[in-house]
Amino acid sequence: MTLLALGLILWIVPHYIKRLAPGLRDGWGNPGKGAIALAILAGMVLMVIGYRSAEFVPVYAPLPGMGHANNTLMLVALFLYGVGGTKGTLYPRMRHPMLWGTVVWAFAHLLVNGDLASILLFGGLGLWALGQMALVNRTPWTAPTNGRGLKGDAMNLAGTLVLYGIVAMVHLWLGHPVFEGTYY
């Protein structure tokens, strides 16, 4: 659990530095940006290792049938991740699609995982995304106007389905079949 917590810290703190201490980050130049990127990468690695090695400590029992809700919400989360890149109809209407995708992803996983490590990982990243949105919202936003419209949505949907298949295969490879009635 220590590695998981350390990974979360190495993910959250560098992400917050940009918003909480922009002058500090800017003063570091490119070497500082590289160090921040390495800290974030190290955080991701530690979160994975820490989550995979954490002892299973049950906190709550997921409700029956939540696997279907999880699978549906994961489609929504992956679609939200692609909104900025494909610039579909949501692009000019939504300020934080990737962060909202992270919130949906975290909530979906909390529906099917009731152990302490899952609460720390998914709950921590979901709260980080909400906090990040609050920090970003302190600055004014001008909605973009150069979207692709329905073409972007079609591209995003195709990419979402491909990525969903890849994510499902990785989960299966890790021993967590996503289309069965029971999870983790």
Side-chain angles (χ1 to χ4, degrees):
M1 207 71 74
T2 302
L3 291 178
L4 176 56
L6 182 58
L8 280 166
I9 291 167
L10 284 174
W11 174 269
I12 292 169
V13 171
H15 277 94
Y16 278 172
I17 285 176
K18 179 179 180 180
R19 302 290 171 194
L20 295 175
L24 175 68
R25 181 178 164 264
D26 293 342
W28 292 343
N30 285 336
K33 290 178 183 178
I36 287 175
L38 284 175
I40 291 169
L41 181 62
M44 288 175 58
V45 169
L46 287 174
M47 282 188 282
V48 170
I49 293 170
Y51 182 74
R52 299 271 301 152
S53 64
E55 179 184 342
F56 183 81
V57 178
V59 176
Y60 63 89
L63 296 172
M66 286 296 107
H68 302 295
N70 171 275
N71 292 340
T72 303
L73 288 171
M74 282 308 302
L75 278 169
V76 172
L78 292 175
F79 187 85
L80 288 171
Y81 287 136
V83 165
T86 57
K87 298 181 171 117
T89 56
L90 284 177
Y91 178 64
R93 295 174 175 85
M94 189 173 213
R95 186 168 184 181
H96 312 290
M98 290 185 80
L99 292 170
W100 278 116
T102 302
V103 170
V104 172
W105 167 85
F107 178 72
H109 281 77
L110 289 172
L111 288 176
V112 294
N113 295 287
D115 62 291
L116 186 58
S118 294
I119 293 168
L120 185 60
L121 176 64
F122 303 120
L125 288 174
L127 289 173
W128 160 77
L130 291 170
Q132 192 74 3
M133 283 188 270
L135 288 173
V136 171
N137 284 344
R138 297 185 327 178
T139 61
W141 181 59
T142 302
T145 57
N146 59 343
R148 294 185 185 107
L150 291 177
K151 179 181 177 185
D153 289 336
M155 291 167 45
N156 192 6
L157 182 58
T160 294
L161 294 174
V162 169
L163 187 56
Y164 188 83
I166 292 169
V167 168
M169 285 190 292
V170 169
H171 277 72
L172 182 61
W173 177 67
L174 292 172
H176 305 294
V178 297
F179 297 114
E180 290 184 9
T182 58
Y183 287 87
Y184 309 90

